[in-house]
């Protein structure tokens, strides 16, 4: 916006506002406005769990919702389909897919996992796979995915290999070598591995996995299908589905890509398999391809799938667009991670190059975090008494393995801190001071009171 | 909301009724009485107008059946809940979400006369519920409990999505699908009962085992209220393993009493006739050993904790539509007679409007009044030349674009020997926001088309 010429007197439409300084990029104050609906006193350093959505995108969403409510039939017949296609086209370009038919919109990664795994389950039922054919997953796979494997693979007679990756981790080589070993062990039992599920960014503990390399290893080992669960990826790391080379790739758009809850894309590389994946909620579009099936699964609010254009507008207000956001989030979260580790005398869970916009930071051993309950207690206590929102990970020590130590004992707990555009230094200082306070007061997790 | 300080008189309308005498206390004190027990102040016609002011005023919206409606007071409550989530999602997830879903489930349980809240799951819509129920079938086959040729039964006019779901989960798994044709137009409940029994007996020939019957409570197109209690009884007599009632149009439209109806599974959308925002439905599953293994297809960490708990968390999503049921109850109870009063008045109004239209057009209703709820099928003049599903859709679009009338059209193929039959029916709905003018607009539109010798053949593809 240009400056008003002061000789013309005050512009009527800018009556009480200061004239806006011409700026190419979004200002700090504007970012604050966009996220002014976030609870102000909370140090919200857990963007990874539930994501965030700026006010301008929420406003765009409300417009879509209003249009449906105003005249739903018109919306259904004349508007919805094209709106979804527009979003899918944007995403196709963004993720470097070959064809928009490869891009479906679903609610979330959990739904995508069910879609991929149901197809595996059907293959068992229809005799394409034999009893004990195997699905491979990471030991730290998201709990919902593990249960989905139980529901669709184990129940159908398939077996499961869990790959235990090291944590804390020091290099990508450690991941790659562990992964290779597990596959070999699996194959040594003469079991056919039908599907490998690999996280692009693990949830807890959070580490960026060298997926391209692991997918390559899977292909080399003759694993038929590879599904990359990249719930955290888009808006957090670069997403190039052709480079990654998986058969299926899913990422949530409401985590790091500023969409409202909830929407995810599921990429299915064109192949024989991709024609036999179906949305489990079957509508009249059954058989018309997953993207079309997913675009109508009964009357629902599809508005979060329609705001992708508005999100693009938003991210392009930032210097460097989404790439700039990703870089700055990464740099900041590493900086904050180091600040915390230094203050607490602990460690980071991974080197900077193996994290994106989240990083694991060791908690002082004196907190005596000895099980999942302790982790949950600490998290609740931080929320209730210190207004800090951060997930806590309990690190089970492996038999015979030497854990990482701080000056007082073994480090068994980690916080997973996130950085998104709305975060400030104060958020992390709040966490830093809370933990230091607990340690100074001689508190252990078991002693913490929660509301 | 209308002020609660002053007495209000209500004029007699199709929806309102005379209010009781003004509360004398309201004249004494000017302070809003926030803490005394609420007086039963009935909603006024202008309240209703305001509650649905977001509807497109230029449209005669006589299709509540397809996508339902939601009053703005409920939409506001929903927005509040959405905001709470956005403000601090972790806190909402850990401290609010589950208890609020449980609250909604408890309200529904009471409304539908279920025995236990465990029997009530909340899902997105009837389409999802159908997938949940039908998913059992392939497991039955895969796990050797069912055998090739075992059958599922459904009505011929079952909802398109349900038919596809049956194809995806029954046919694909090796099951046989028996479709029961029902007469339309229909003249009595007996016709339905007779035809259903006949078809079931026929299907069971050759010793075929019927594993599941899918019965609509209120069919979609053409819309008729089915005597489900009777059909469920027949299913039991004929040894059908499980009965699933698809009552997408059920709650807020017909009487929904689980124990009376006696089905194993019963689903109804809450966003159609129960004023919830899009979208939310309940799936009732009678507690028994026969059906303890239902799962939500989107598996989360709650897998194995029962369908209701599984459905309460299927990954990060906006669950707000599931949480406004208490607010909807408040809205409904502003009407005289609550939901029963609304149902009764909707029914009377739609019959009146249906009869008005068929009289104006010289056609007939698709069923007798006792077989319709708040929707009725109204015959369209045969000179309009509706001769295919495509014609019906084209005419619907034409009515929307040229006349501002939103109404779904059903094509009924003529049967052998019929002379000059009515081949098109409009499914008109009546909900609290509708006005007589909506139906006059439709009446006049059709009259004009007839007067202009319009035929569907003239419409572009």
């Amino acid at each position: 916006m240009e400056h008003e010429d002061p000789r013309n007197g005050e512009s009527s439409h800018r009556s009480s506002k200061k004239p806006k300084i011409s700026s190419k990029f979004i200002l700090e104050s504007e970012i604050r406005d966009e996220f002014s609906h976030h609870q102000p006193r909370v140090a919200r350093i857990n963007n990874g769990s539930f994501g965030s959505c700026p006010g301008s995108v929420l406003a765009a969403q409300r417009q879509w919702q209003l249009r449906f409510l105003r005249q739903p039939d018109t919306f259904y017949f004349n508007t919805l389909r094209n709106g979804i296609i527009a979003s899918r086209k944007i995403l196709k370009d963004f993720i470097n897919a070959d064809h928009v038919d490869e891009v479906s919109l679903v609610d979330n990664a959990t739904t995508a996992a069910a879609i991929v795994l149901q197809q595996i389950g059907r293959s068992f039922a229809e005799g394409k796979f034999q009893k004990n054919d195997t699905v491979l997953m990471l030991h730290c796979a998201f709990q919902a995915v593990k249960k989905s494997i139980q529901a669709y693979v184990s129940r159908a007679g398939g077996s499961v290999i869990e790959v235990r990756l090291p944590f804390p981790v020091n290099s990508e080589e450690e991941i790659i070598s562990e992964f290779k070993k597990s596959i070999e062990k699996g194959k040594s039992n003469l079991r056919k591995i039908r599907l490998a599920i690999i996280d692009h960014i693990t949830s807890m503990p959070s580490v960026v996995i060298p997926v391209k390399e692991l997918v390559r290893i899977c292909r080399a080992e003759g694993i038929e299908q590879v599904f990359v669960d990249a719930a955290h990826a888009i808006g957090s790391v670069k997403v190039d589905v052709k480079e990654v080379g998986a058969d299926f790739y899913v990422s949530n758009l409401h985590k790091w890509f500023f969409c409202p809850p909830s929407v995810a894309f599921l990429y299915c590389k064109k192949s024989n398999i991709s024609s036999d994946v179906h949305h489990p909620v079957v509508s009249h579009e059954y058989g018309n391809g997953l993207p079309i099936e997913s675009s109508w699964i009964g009357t629902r609010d599809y508005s979060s799938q329609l705001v992708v254009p508005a999100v693009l507008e938003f991210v392009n207000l930032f210097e460097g667009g989404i790439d700039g956001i990703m870089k700055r989030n990464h740099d900041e979260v590493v900086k904050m991670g180091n600040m915390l580790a230094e203050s607490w005398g602990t460690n980071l869970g991974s080197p900077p190059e193996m994290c994106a916009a989240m990083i694991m930071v060791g908690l002082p051993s004196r907190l005596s975090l000895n099980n999942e309950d302790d982790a949950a207690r600490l998290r609740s206590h931080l929320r209730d008494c210190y207004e800090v929102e951060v997930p806590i990970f309990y690190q089970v020590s492996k038999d015979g393995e030497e854990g990482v130590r701080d000056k007082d004992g073994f480090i068994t707990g980690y916080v997973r801190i996130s950085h998104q555009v709305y975060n400030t230094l104060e958020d992390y200082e709040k966490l830093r001071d809370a933990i230091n306070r607990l340690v100074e007061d001689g508190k252990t997790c078991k002693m913490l009171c929660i509301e | 909301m209308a002020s609660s300080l002053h007495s209000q008189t209500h004029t007699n309308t199709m929806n309102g009724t005379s209010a009781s005498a003004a509360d004398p206390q309201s004249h004494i004190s000017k302070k809003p009485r926030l803490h005394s027990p609420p007086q039963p102040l009935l909603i006024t016609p202008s309240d209703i107008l305001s509650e649905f002011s977001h509807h497109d005023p230029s449209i005669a919206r006589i299709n509540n059946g397809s996508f339902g409606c939601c009053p703005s007071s409920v939409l506001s409550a929903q927005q509040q809940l959405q905001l709470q989530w956005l403000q601090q999602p972790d806190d909402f997830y850990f401290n609010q979400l589950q208890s609020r879903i449980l609250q909604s489930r408890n309200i529904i349980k009471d409304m539908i006369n279920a025995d236990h809240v465990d029997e009530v799951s909340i899902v997105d819509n009837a389409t999802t519920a159908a997938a949940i129920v039908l998913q059992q079938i392939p497991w039955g086959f895969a796990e050797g409990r069912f055998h090739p040729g075992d059958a599922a039964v459904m009505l011929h006019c079952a909802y398109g999505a349900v038919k596809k779901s049956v194809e995806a989960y029954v046919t694909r798994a090796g099951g046989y699908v028996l479709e029961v044709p029902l007469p339309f137009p229909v003249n009595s409940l007996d016709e339905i009962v007779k035809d259903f029994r006949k078809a079931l007996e026929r299907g069971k020939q050759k010793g075929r085992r019927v594993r599941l019957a899918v019965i609509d409570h209120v069919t979609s197109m053409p819309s008729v209220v089915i005597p489900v209690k009777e059909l469920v009884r027949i299913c039991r007599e004929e040894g059908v393993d499980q009965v699933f009632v698809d009552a997408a149009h059920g709650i807020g439209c017909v009487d929904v009493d689980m124990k009376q109806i006696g089905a194993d599974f019963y689903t109804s959308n809450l966003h159609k006739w129960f004023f919830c925002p899009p979208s939310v439905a309940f799936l009732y599953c009678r507690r028994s050993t026969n059906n303890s293994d239902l799962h939500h297809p989107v598996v989360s960490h709650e897998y194995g904790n029962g369908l209701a708990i599984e459905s309460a968390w299927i990954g990060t999503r906006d669950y707000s539509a599931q949480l406004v049921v208490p607010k909807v109850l408040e809205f409904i109870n502003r009407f005289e007679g609550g939901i029963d009063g609304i149902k009764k008045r909707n029914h009377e109004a739609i019959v009146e409007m249906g009869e008005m239209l068929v009289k104006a057009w010289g056609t007939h209703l698709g069923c007798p009044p006792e077989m319709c709820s708040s929707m009725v099928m109204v015959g369209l003049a045969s000179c309009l030349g509706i001769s295919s599903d495509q014609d019906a859709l084209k005419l619907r679009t034409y009515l929307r674009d040229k006349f501002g009338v939103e109404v779904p059209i059903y094509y009924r193929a003529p049967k052998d020997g019929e002379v000059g039959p009515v081949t098109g029916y409009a499914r008109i709905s009546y909900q609290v926001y509708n006005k007589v003018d909506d139906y006059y607009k439709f009446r006049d539109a059709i009259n004009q088309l007839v007067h202009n010798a319009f035929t569907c053949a003239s419409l572009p593809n």
Side-chain angles (χ1 to χ4, degrees):
Chain A
M1 280 196 275
E2 291 172 2
H3 278 292
E4 292 282 306
D5 186 334
R7 290 170 299 180
N8 293 332
E10 270 225 292
S11 147
S12 58
H13 65 271
R14 293 231 205 100
S15 41
S16 54
K17 290 196 190 149
K18 289 213 291 274
K20 188 176 166 142
I21 295 166
S22 176
S23 164
K24 275 175 69 187
F25 304 122
I26 192 171
L27 303 172
E28 281 303 317
S29 60
E30 288 168 331
I31 297 176
R32 268 198 302 279
D33 278 345
E34 287 280 9
F35 294 97
S36 58
H37 52 276
H38 286 192
Q39 204 166 318
R41 293 175 319 276
V42 174
R44 184 170 166 146
I45 46 186
N46 185 22
N47 195 74
S49 280
F50 300 110
S52 56
C53 184
S56 52
V57 175
L58 292 171
Q61 184 190 24
R62 265 194 294 280
Q63 287 308 307
W64 287 109
Q65 288 167 335
L66 210 61
R67 283 171 75 175
F68 179 82
L69 294 166
R70 192 174 153 79
Q71 219 297 46
D73 300 80
T74 298
F75 193 87
Y76 171 77
F77 284 107
N78 301 333
T79 306
L80 178 60
R81 192 60 61 82
N82 291 335
I84 290 182
I85 288 176
S87 291
R88 285 168 56 213
K89 283 192 169 142
I90 289 173
L91 289 165
K92 164 207 163 264
D93 290 336
F94 206 86
I95 66 176
N96 193 27
D98 271 334
H99 200 283
V100 74
D101 288 351
E102 296 177 316
V103 179
S104 303
L105 294 182
V106 296
D107 274 354
N108 44 41
T110 302
T111 307
I115 290 173
V116 174
L117 288 164
Q118 279 199 342
Q119 170 253 140
I120 298 286
R122 277 195 296 275
S123 293
F124 278 100
E126 293 170 1
K128 278 197 277 226
F129 295 171
Q130 277 66 58
K131 194 161 152 60
N132 269 328
D133 280 359
T134 304
V135 167
L136 180 143
M137 68 172 179
L138 303 185
H139 175 71
C140 62
F142 195 60
Q143 183 63 358
V145 176
K146 286 187 157 186
K147 288 288 186 179
S148 212
I149 291 171
Q150 185 187 332
Y152 294 119
V153 177
S154 310
R155 182 175 178 180
S159 63
V160 182
I161 294 176
E162 288 192 16
V163 178
R164 230 194 159 98
L165 297 182
F167 183 80
V169 65
N170 299 306
S171 72
E172 288 188 352
E173 280 65 45
E174 287 179 18
I175 305 267
I176 292 167
S177 121
E178 202 55 49
F179 190 78
K180 268 198 187 127
K181 263 195 291 193
S182 293
I183 294 190
E184 263 144 41
K185 210 160 51 193
K187 288 178 67 189
S188 69
N189 298 344
L190 295 178
R191 292 195 300 201
K192 187 128 177 68
I193 302 179
R194 295 291 186 176
L195 171 74
I197 302 179
I198 310 171
D199 298 51
H200 193 152
I201 302 178
T202 51
S203 176
M204 280 299 225
S206 187
V207 169
V208 177
I209 301 289
V211 274
K212 183 176 169 188
E213 187 59 26
L214 298 196
V215 172
R216 204 192 54 74
I217 292 169
C218 289
R219 302 299 188 201
E221 298 287 343
I223 294 176
E224 284 179 4
Q225 299 181 32
V226 182
F227 169 36
V228 172
D229 175 3
H232 287 275
I234 188 167
S236 164
V237 288
K238 182 173 100 133
V239 172
D240 184 328
V241 292
K242 290 224 288 277
E243 235 198 40
V244 168
D247 299 284
F248 306 104
Y249 186 106
V250 64
S251 190
N252 285 331
L253 300 174
H254 52 266
K255 273 194 197 290
W256 296 94
F257 203 66
F258 303 108
C259 281
S262 70
V263 52
F265 75 82
L266 171 56
Y267 161 82
C268 304
K269 190 160 74 168
K270 275 200 182 179
S271 75
N272 292 336
I273 306 157
S274 72
S275 57
D276 199 31
V277 281
H278 294 281
H279 200 291
V281 177
V282 177
S283 79
H284 67 275
E285 296 285 11
Y286 180 72
N288 291 337
L290 184 66
I292 300 300
E293 289 183 10
S294 306
S295 72
W296 187 258
I297 53 173
T299 299
R300 299 181 357 142
D301 180 355
Y302 293 88
S303 62
S304 53
Q305 300 185 2
L306 304 174
V307 295
V308 174
V311 166
L312 227 56
E313 270 184 48
F314 174 76
V315 301
N316 288 333
L317 295 172
F318 290 76
E319 183 172 9
I322 193 68
D323 290 334
I325 291 173
M326 291 192 312
K327 181 176 190 304
R328 286 185 296 274
N329 280 344
H330 172 73
D331 290 344
E332 283 304 309
V333 90
V334 169
K335 198 161 126 197
M336 293 300 102
N338 280 319
M339 184 266 285
L340 293 170
E342 202 175 324
S343 174
W344 298 338
T346 59
N347 63 333
L348 295 179
S350 70
E353 63 271 16
M354 289 182 74
C355 82
M358 299 183 290
I359 196 163
M360 306 297 289
V361 186
L363 286 164
S365 61
R366 278 174 61 181
L367 289 174
S368 289
L369 202 154
N370 295 326
N371 54 41
E372 301 285 356
D373 277 345
D374 286 347
R377 273 195 106 81
L378 178 57
R379 178 175 185 176
S380 296
H381 186 78
L382 286 169
R383 178 188 307 120
D384 299 339
C385 303
Y386 287 93
E387 294 180 313
V388 172
E389 187 62 57
V390 69
I392 318 271
F393 171 67
Y394 162 62
Q395 169 73 334
V396 183
S397 47
K398 270 160 90 160
D399 288 328
E401 239 186 41
E402 268 266 308
V404 176
R405 298 178 60 104
D406 63 10
K407 64 177 169 35
D408 299 305
F410 286 109
I411 292 176
T412 53
Y414 290 78
V415 290
R416 183 186 78 188
I417 59 169
S418 297
H419 187 284
Q420 187 44 298
V421 298
Y422 55 80
N423 285 118
T424 63
L425 173 63
E426 285 71 32
D427 296 331
Y428 306 88
E429 290 178 335
K430 222 168 160 177
L431 171 63
R432 175 199 64 193
D433 296 343
I435 295 292
N436 283 335
R437 179 69 190 271
L438 290 175
V439 171
E440 273 165 37
D441 290 351
K443 292 268 173 38
T444 63
C445 288
K446 288 188 177 33
M447 294 162 62
L448 297 175
C449 53
I450 49 181
E451 275 164 30
Chain B
M1 256 183 70
S3 159
S4 58
L5 293 177
H6 308 286
S7 65
Q8 293 186 4
T9 48
H10 303 244
T11 52
N12 261 332
T13 65
M14 279 184 180
N15 293 318
T17 184
S18 300
S20 41
D23 183 349
Q25 280 194 293
S26 69
H27 293 292
I28 297 168
S29 161
K30 287 236 155 64
K31 283 211 311 261
R33 289 160 37 226
L34 296 172
H35 301 294
S36 24
Q39 299 297 312
L41 262 176
L42 292 174
I43 195 168
T44 65
S46 68
D47 286 338
I48 295 173
L49 215 62
S50 158
E51 286 280 9
F52 294 97
S53 59
H54 51 279
H55 287 191
D56 186 338
S58 69
I59 296 284
R61 185 170 167 146
I62 50 183
N63 185 24
N64 195 74
S66 281
F67 299 107
C69 63
C70 184
S72 50
S73 52
V74 174
L75 291 171
S76 296
Q78 184 191 24
Q79 271 163 26
Q80 283 309 305
L81 289 159
Q82 288 167 335
L83 194 63
Q84 280 187 50
W85 166 270
L86 294 166
Q87 277 173 341
Q88 221 296 44
D90 300 79
D91 185 42
F92 197 88
Y93 172 79
F94 283 107
N95 298 328
Q96 296 249 25
L97 180 61
Q98 293 312 309
S99 59
R100 285 184 181 271
I101 289 183
L102 183 60
Q103 188 186 14
S104 291
R105 286 169 56 213
N106 269 312
I107 290 175
I108 294 167
K109 162 195 161 278
D110 289 338
M111 294 215 76
I112 68 176
N113 193 23
D115 270 333
H116 199 282
V117 74
D118 286 353
E119 297 177 316
V120 179
S121 303
I122 295 184
V123 296
D124 274 355
N125 46 41
T127 303
T128 305
I132 290 173
V133 174
L134 288 163
Q135 265 200 148
Q136 300 173 92
I137 307 283
W139 284 118
F141 282 101
E143 293 170 346
R145 286 174 280 116
F146 298 171
H147 310 288
D150 282 1
V153 168
M154 65 179 176
L155 303 185
H156 176 70
C157 61
Y159 192 60
V162 175
K163 287 190 146 182
K164 286 290 186 180
S165 215
V166 169
E167 181 189 323
Y169 291 118
V170 179
T171 312
R172 181 168 181 168
Y176 175 81
V177 179
L178 178 66
E179 289 194 16
V180 179
L182 295 182
F184 182 80
V186 65
N187 299 306
S188 72
L189 294 166
D190 275 345
E191 285 180 27
I192 306 267
V193 173
K194 246 196 348 234
D195 279 14
F196 185 81
R197 188 192 286 280
K198 255 196 319 212
L200 198 52
E201 284 169 356
R202 221 175 25 235
K204 286 175 58 196
Q205 284 167 9
K206 308 175 186 130
R208 201 188 289 285
R209 188 72 191 264
V210 180
R211 296 294 180 181
L212 177 72
V214 182
I215 308 173
D216 298 55
H217 194 154
V218 179
T219 52
S220 175
M221 282 299 230
S223 188
V224 168
V225 177
I226 301 291
V228 277
K229 184 175 170 190
E230 188 63 21
L231 297 197
V232 170
R233 203 181 55 74
I234 292 171
C235 286
R236 301 297 184 206
E237 282 172 13
E238 298 289 333
V240 173
D241 280 9
Q242 295 181 344
V243 184
F244 168 38
V245 173
D246 174 5
H249 290 274
I251 188 167
C253 186
V254 287
D255 288 339
V256 173
D257 184 322
M258 297 300 95
K259 299 224 277 281
Q260 268 250 328
I261 292 166
D264 297 285
F265 310 108
Y266 187 106
T267 185
S268 186
N269 285 330
L270 300 172
H271 52 265
K272 273 195 198 286
W273 296 95
F274 202 69
F275 304 105
C276 284
S279 69
V280 51
F282 73 82
L283 171 55
Y284 161 87
C285 304
R286 199 169 65 159
R287 276 202 296 196
S288 86
T289 48
N290 204 13
N291 57 16
S292 52
D293 204 27
L294 260 68
H295 294 283
H296 198 292
V298 178
V299 175
S300 79
H301 65 275
E302 296 285 10
Y303 180 71
N305 291 337
L307 180 64
I309 300 300
E310 289 183 10
S311 306
W313 186 258
I314 53 172
T316 299
R317 299 180 358 139
D318 180 355
Y319 292 88
S320 62
Q322 303 184 2
L323 310 181
V324 293
V325 176
K327 193 68 185 180
V328 167
L329 219 58
E330 266 182 50
F331 174 75
I332 284 171
N333 288 333
R334 291 167 64 194
F335 290 80
E336 185 175 14
I339 192 65
D340 289 331
I342 291 173
K343 277 170 14 193
K344 179 168 184 296
R345 287 186 295 273
N346 281 350
H347 171 70
E348 286 166 359
I350 202 60
V351 170
E352 194 183 320
M353 293 299 98
E355 283 172 348
M356 182 271 287
L357 290 171
V358 300
K359 189 153 174 224
W361 298 336
T363 56
H364 56 261
L365 295 179
C367 67
E370 62 270 16
M371 289 183 74
C372 82
S373 52
S374 38
M375 298 182 290
V376 75
M377 303 301 288
V378 184
L380 294 168
S382 18
C383 61
L384 293 173
I386 300 160
S387 57
S388 64
D389 288 335
Q390 206 193 16
D391 280 348
L393 190 57
K394 279 170 19 180
L395 176 59
R396 175 182 185 172
T397 305
Y398 194 68
L399 284 167
R400 179 189 306 124
D401 295 343
K402 289 287 184 287
F403 291 95
V405 174
E406 187 59 60
V407 68
I409 317 277
Y410 169 69
Y411 165 65
R412 180 209 176 256
K415 296 209 166 60
D416 287 335
E418 284 180 341
V419 176
V422 168
T423 55
Y425 290 80
R427 183 186 77 187
I428 58 171
S429 297
Y430 192 97
Q431 186 45 297
V432 298
Y433 55 79
N434 282 119
K435 301 261 178 295
V436 176
D437 283 342
D438 297 330
Y439 307 86
Y440 288 155
K441 204 171 173 183
F442 184 31
R443 175 198 65 189
D444 298 344
I446 294 294
N447 281 342
Q448 195 183 320
L449 290 176
V450 170
H451 185 257
N452 296 343
F454 164 95
T455 65
C456 286
S458 69
L459 290 171
N461 277 330

